Amino acid sequence: MLLVSCSAVRYVQDGEYKLIRNSLTITSNSSKEKYAIKKQYPEDYIQQRPNSRFLGIGLKTAFYNATDSSKHDGWHRFWSEKVGEKPVILDYSEIEKSKMEIGSFLSSKGYFNSVIDDTVITHGKKAIVQYSATMGSPYRLRNIYYRIEDEFLTPIIMKDTINSCLKSGNVFSTSDFEQERRRLTSYLNDKGFFGFGVNYISYSIDSTVGNHQCDVRVRVRKYMKTINSEGVEVMENHPVYRISSIVVNTEFDGTDTHSKYDSIVSNGIIIKFKNHLKIRPDILLQAIRMSPNEFYDRQSIEKTRANLETLGLNNRIVFNLVESADSNDLVITNAFAVGPQPSTTQHELSCEIQCTPVTRQSTSADFEASTTSQYFSLALSLGYQNNNIFRGGEQFNINFRGAYEFMWQQGKNNSYELGFNSSIVAPRFWANISEDKAARFNDPHSKVSLTFSAQRRPDYSRIVFGGSFGYSWKIGSRSYVTINPLDVYMVSVPRIDSSFLASIQNPYLRNSYTSQLIPGGSVSYVYNNNMNFSQDNFSIKVSSDYAGNCMRLLSGIFLTPQEEYIQETSSIDSYYQILGIRFAQYARLNFQMTGRKNVGNASQLAWRFLVAGGYAYGNTQSLPFERLYFAGGGNSMRGWQMRTLGPGSVQIDSLGVYPNQLGDFKLEANFEYRARLFAGLSTAIFFDLGNIWMNSKGESRSEARFNFQNFYKQLAFNTGIGFRYNIADMMILRLDWGFKLHNPNMIQGERWLHNLGISDTAIHFAIGLPF
């Protein structure tokens, strides 16, 4: 009530106005051009922006206005300066700066004759600034001429003009000119011209040729060797550089000037180390895509840097390139030039690759807790990581996990799970392929993993043991592909309550609670355009796993099928066994999209959409327990505890049933509005919707089956509030409190929330963001 009652203009003086909003209207004869400009336009061009808001409320300004400005003690200063935010007072000089910036932006895109206006609307002590930009006709490039003063470079540059960013007919854009400078510089760097930089390239533009066109002259200046005694620049052709020596310092420490290094020489490359070399020389040499006596090539250096980073052994990699002072410069000619052969000098470079090693061993911890009025769950993971365990850049990981869950009601048994998963990841392919073929893959990795889990629930016990082997590599700079040709698990069910098994109405679903062999594989594709959680992001993950197909083919040739009578469906279930155990046969497909969008300086919109499903066929009629889907928990539907939602709109007696709701299909969407409060603390308002469903195979309950005509009526809804605390950008502690809005597992007429009670909420504590 205090925040609401405080005036938003309490400290705004007479004759001043609090800026509450900016707007920009762009007018153009072409809707396509207008859309392109609005898409590229950044908010930073408007110099003065209003105070930050959270869900339309100026919380920080309200905190500032709620304090007494006449008091200067620590408590009032904390709320006004640290938590609060001083109101932004309209400054007319900033409006003029903004108009100039908007005009400069449009000119940089070829709209030289744009008209920028402003209108200030005031109401009381509040003001809105409306900017309007009327775009003129864009200027286009007509002719592109080259003036290359270095005759040695002329045939080299002209040979590659087809890849130029400047094309006749393109709309004038300063970003294209900058991009062409970078492209041409990189191109010449790859040809051995180590000292060539963007400053040697300049442009002159003639916009007086008429008809909204302009001619461009690209000038490439000669190399400035020195300045003589008279202050005149001495110019010559750009020298070309050859790498004379390569030294790899595997344990570089800039603060340590006393340690002595040992060294070995392999393939002409000097490898320096302390005490003993911690990586095998052959692995290190495979990563280095450079050789002594070769011409300098920027791409080879960047490829070497990427390969060394892939090994995961270094915090920092620096290429120290120094021109050899005592080298004998050679004069070389360009045989591709027309007419007299121009020449230039060849210099030598020494290259030292300084590798600062990472900490070889590390540990990690992850924690999650959830509670409702009926259930409480706790999960703890402890991890250990060893980099370079076999001196080949291999990364060894092992994670121990324990989980505990119980019902608050007396007489209900508790549940626990203990297990571990371990893996070894190597920065190369474990396969018999040539080095040249392997080099075609970007950031290749091989991975082998083992998993063990022992689960004890009130109605059954399970033991899961398995492993996988596969490969992953990078496509471009933002996508990864993972292929696991081998993904095998053994599931043992040593104990199951007969009454619980009989209570499962789906006869085929009972197979999910029996011992099974799951022989299969998986493939996945991940696209992520930004890994930084504080910036805009869009990502896609598509994965598929399958099992039993090859084994079913071989079983049909060499084995005799078993038969079982299904009383509920009056049918015969025919299947094969391996070593007395039935093996699973199924296929699953999972699709997930996530996104983040910054809104102002202190808030962010985040969302996730997930659809997943599986289908069993052939040797089994239901998905294995481990491959079924569930909803609820700290990273799913946060108004529910884990495995307490669904399937469909089946009515559940939550007071008497242990949470074990599973399905063949899952649909979920999550939305969050995140806002930074102060220091490392931020808050979030979230909204989740989704559910799980069974397919029609053996499922007699229509309310549990997925149906396109009415599935939207069975969607669960929840909202809630959360808090996140960022500890030095190393760990995010998260607390979410979810409230059910629509519960499809209640009886008709009682599904929408009417009176909020503790039983309609769930609290989740975890480490890391939910998505």
Side-chain angles (χ1 to χ4, degrees):
M1 291 297 293
L2 176 63
L3 296 179
V4 175
S5 62
C6 289
S7 171
V9 293
R10 176 180 179 182
Y11 293 116
V12 178
Q13 304 299 320
D14 291 340
E16 295 181 339
Y17 300 96
K18 179 179 184 293
L19 178 63
I20 61 173
R21 189 167 69 249
N22 293 312
S23 66
L24 173 64
T25 303
I26 297 178
T27 304
S28 173
N29 293 329
S30 170
S31 58
K32 183 178 180 180
E33 293 175 358
K34 175 182 175 181
Y35 174 77
I37 289 295
K38 295 188 76 172
K39 186 177 180 180
Q40 300 176 56
Y41 181 80
E43 293 183 353
D44 293 342
Y45 287 116
I46 296 181
Q47 302 299 294
Q48 190 178 35
R49 281 173 284 181
N51 295 100
S52 60
R53 304 178 73 83
F54 179 67
L55 296 180
I57 302 173
L59 287 178
K60 292 188 175 183
T61 310
F63 278 119
Y64 181 89
N65 291 330
T67 59
D68 190 344
S69 61
S70 63
K71 297 181 180 180
H72 301 285
D73 57 85
W75 178 249
H76 284 80
R77 289 180 60 189
F78 171 78
W79 284 104
S80 63
E81 297 178 11
K82 300 296 183 181
V83 181
E85 188 176 72
K86 188 176 182 179
V88 176
I89 305 301
L90 180 65
D91 186 340
Y92 286 94
S93 65
E94 295 295 325
I95 295 178
E96 294 303 315
K97 292 179 183 178
S98 298
K99 290 165 62 177
M100 292 178 61
E101 290 292 334
I102 296 171
S104 297
F105 166 73
L106 293 175
S107 295
S108 72
K109 297 302 178 182
Y111 301 92
F112 296 128
N113 301 319
S114 300
V115 178
I116 317 299
D117 290 317
D118 71 275
T119 302
V120 178
I121 301 175
T122 61
H123 179 72
K125 291 187 176 182
K126 299 178 180 179
I128 298 174
V129 181
Q130 297 177 341
Y131 296 93
S132 63
T134 303
M135 296 165 52
S137 298
Y139 278 69
R140 297 183 180 273
L141 306 186
R142 191 179 70 168
N143 298 315
I144 294 99
Y145 304 102
Y146 286 85
R147 179 188 170 190
I148 305 173
E149 299 172 357
D150 183 339
E151 60 271 17
F152 189 86
L153 290 183
T154 300
I156 299 175
I157 293 176
M158 297 308 295
K159 183 181 177 181
D160 195 57
T161 53
I162 190 173
N163 295 315
S164 174
C165 301
L166 305 177
K167 304 287 187 182
S168 179
N170 285 1
V171 174
F172 177 95
S173 175
T174 56
S175 60
D176 288 344
F177 287 86
E178 291 303 315
Q179 185 177 350
E180 173 60 11
R181 295 176 77 187
R182 293 191 297 268
R183 185 203 67 82
L184 189 53
T185 298
S186 297
Y187 170 70
L188 292 176
N189 289 161
D190 293 338
K191 297 297 182 181
F193 296 93
F194 167 72
F196 191 93
V198 294
N199 292 331
Y200 284 105
I201 304 171
S202 60
Y203 304 100
S204 59
I205 301 165
D206 184 3
S207 60
T208 64
V209 296
N211 199 25
H212 286 86
Q213 292 181 317
C214 55
D215 288 343
V216 178
R217 286 174 174 80
V218 183
R219 180 191 179 192
V220 180
R221 295 190 300 113
K222 281 189 174 186
Y223 169 68
M224 187 186 74
K225 183 178 181 179
T226 185
I227 299 178
N228 62 23
S229 58
E230 298 177 355
V232 179
E233 296 178 346
V234 178
M235 312 297 290
E236 63 179 26
N237 288 345
H238 287 270
V240 66
Y241 288 81
R242 188 185 295 273
I243 296 178
S244 60
S245 63
I246 299 175
V247 178
V248 183
N249 189 337
T250 61
E251 297 180 77
F252 177 79
D253 185 353
T255 63
D256 184 2
T257 59
H258 303 289
S259 296
K260 294 183 178 180
Y261 288 90
D262 293 325
S263 64
I264 61 173
V265 180
S266 183
N267 291 349
I269 297 176
I270 302 172
I271 303 174
K272 296 172 61 175
F273 55 91
K274 300 176 182 178
N275 299 323
H276 67 278
L277 185 58
K278 297 178 176 59
I279 183 171
R280 301 200 308 269
D282 60 311
I283 298 297
L284 187 61
L285 292 176
Q286 286 178 13
I288 298 175
R289 312 306 296 177
M290 309 159 53
S291 298
N293 296 319
E294 288 185 347
F295 281 112
Y296 168 82
D297 182 351
R298 182 194 55 85
Q299 286 193 30
S300 296
I301 288 180
E302 293 305 317
K303 183 63 176 178
T304 299
R305 185 195 305 276
N307 289 346
L308 291 173
E309 290 175 347
T310 298
L311 292 178
L313 304 179
N314 306 289
N315 269 328
R316 188 166 179 257
I317 300 171
V318 175
F319 285 76
N320 188 20
L321 296 161
V322 178
E323 184 173 351
S324 302
D326 57 350
S327 63
N328 296 319
D329 294 340
L330 301 176
V331 177
I332 60 174
T333 58
N334 193 334
F336 296 99
V338 178
Q341 294 183 353
S343 63
T344 191
T345 56
Q346 174 186 291
H347 297 180
E348 291 185 355
L349 288 173
S350 62
C351 174
E352 181 183 17
I353 307 175
Q354 300 170 344
C355 302
T356 304
V358 298
T359 302
R360 184 170 180 178
Q361 302 180 73
S362 61
T363 59
S364 62
D366 196 3
F367 177 79
E368 182 175 348
S370 300
T371 183
T372 66
S373 61
Q374 288 88 31
Y375 310 106
F376 175 81
S377 67
L378 185 70
L380 175 65
S381 294
L382 300 175
Y384 167 78
Q385 183 180 92
N386 188 312
N387 296 302
N388 197 33
I389 188 170
F390 299 126
R391 297 181 59 236
E394 301 89 357
Q395 185 182 90
F396 171 73
N397 295 277
I398 187 166
N399 230 315
F400 296 94
R401 184 179 187 274
Y404 184 72
E405 186 177 88
F406 68 92
M407 300 180 68
W408 294 109
Q409 289 81 7
Q410 294 183 356
K412 297 297 181 182
N413 293 323
N414 300 335
S415 169
Y416 67 81
E417 177 181 345
L418 296 172
F420 75 89
N421 60 77
S422 63
S423 65
I424 295 178
V425 182
R428 57 192 172 277
F429 286 151
W430 283 331
N432 187 22
I433 60 176
S434 66
E435 185 175 331
D436 291 338
K437 290 183 179 179
R440 299 175 186 175
F441 294 88
N442 186 12
D443 197 12
H445 284 82
S446 301
K447 180 179 180 180
V448 60
S449 63
L450 290 175
T451 299
F452 173 83
S453 175
Q455 307 165 1
R456 188 225 178 252
R457 299 274 175 97
D459 300 313
Y460 58 86
S461 296
R462 300 168 60 84
I463 297 175
V464 181
F465 178 77
S468 65
F469 173 76
Y471 306 101
S472 65
W473 64 91
K474 201 172 183 180
I475 300 177
S477 61
R478 300 175 178 178
S479 302
Y480 280 92
V481 171
T482 301
I483 296 178
N484 292 327
L486 187 62
D487 202 342
V488 180
Y489 289 86
M490 174 70 75
V491 181
S492 174
V493 184
R495 179 187 68 87
I496 188 166
D497 186 81
S498 57
S499 59
F500 166 75
L501 195 61
S503 67
I504 302 176
Q505 299 185 29
N506 187 332
Y508 296 122
L509 186 58
R510 296 186 196 130
N511 292 328
S512 298
Y513 295 88
T514 60
S515 298
Q516 289 189 62
L517 176 65
I518 309 175
S522 63
V523 59
S524 67
Y525 168 82
V526 177
Y527 169 85
N528 194 329
N529 68 354
N530 197 332
M531 298 294 291
N532 191 329
F533 281 98
S534 64
Q535 298 177 1
D536 293 352
N537 162 269
F538 176 74
S539 67
I540 295 177
K541 181 177 181 180
V542 183
S543 63
S544 174
D545 57 283
Y546 47 87
N549 296 323
C550 293
M551 193 165 288
R552 174 63 177 83
L553 179 62
L554 295 175
S555 299
I557 299 174
F558 299 105
L559 300 178
T560 302
Q562 306 291 317
E563 292 185 348
E564 180 182 353
Y565 178 72
I566 306 298
Q567 183 175 359
E568 290 87 349
T569 60
S570 300
S571 60
I572 301 295
D573 183 15
S574 178
Y575 57 90
Y576 292 92
Q577 293 182 332
I578 301 295
L579 300 177
I581 301 177
R582 187 172 184 172
F583 62 87
Q585 189 175 5
Y586 68 87
R588 295 197 315 163
L589 180 64
N590 306 315
F591 176 81
Q592 176 178 283
M593 287 194 304
T594 60
R596 297 188 300 271
K597 178 67 176 178
N598 287 330
V599 184
N601 294 325
S603 57
Q604 186 181 76
L605 288 172
W607 58 272
R608 174 178 62 182
F609 174 73
L610 168 69
V611 58
Y615 189 77
Y617 53 90
N619 205 58
T620 49
Q621 300 297 323
S622 62
L623 293 177
F625 182 89
E626 285 71 25
R627 301 300 186 259
L628 290 167
Y629 300 96
F630 65 86
N635 296 321
S636 180
M637 301 290 298
R638 284 164 282 184
W640 281 260
Q641 183 79 337
M642 189 180 299
R643 298 187 305 276
T644 60
L645 174 61
S649 56
V650 172
Q651 295 181 24
I652 301 172
D653 181 7
S654 60
L655 296 178
V657 178
Y658 202 84
N660 204 40
Q661 309 304 96
L662 302 168
D664 299 299
F665 303 102
K666 182 176 182 178
L667 178 65
E668 188 171 301
N670 314 92
F671 304 90
E672 277 196 359
Y673 182 86
R674 302 165 180 167
R676 188 170 64 250
L677 295 179
F678 58 88
L681 183 64
S682 60
T683 186
I685 301 296
F686 59 82
F687 178 79
D688 307 316
L689 64 93
N691 205 340
I692 57 172
W693 292 267
M694 301 296 298
N695 62 34
S696 59
K697 188 177 292 187
E699 181 56 67
S700 60
R701 300 169 299 175
S702 61
E703 61 271 22
R705 298 197 301 264
F706 181 85
N707 190 308
F708 277 104
Q709 296 180 348
N710 62 6
F711 79 93
Y712 62 92
K713 300 178 182 178
Q714 299 173 325
L715 290 174
F717 298 85
N718 71 249
T719 189
I721 186 171
F723 295 93
R724 291 92 169 88
Y725 186 70
N726 190 337
I727 303 177
D729 290 328
M730 296 186 300
M731 179 184 299
I732 297 178
L733 302 180
R734 173 167 57 96
L735 179 66
D736 287 333
W737 189 9
F739 308 90
K740 298 175 185 176
L741 297 178
H742 181 257
N743 187 352
N745 300 125
M746 299 291 287
I747 63 175
Q748 193 75 29
E750 298 182 8
R751 295 177 179 175
W752 287 101
L753 177 68
H754 297 291
N755 298 309
L756 180 64
I758 192 64
S759 62
D760 300 307
T761 68
I763 298 176
H764 310 279
F765 176 76
I767 296 176
L769 296 172
F771 52 88

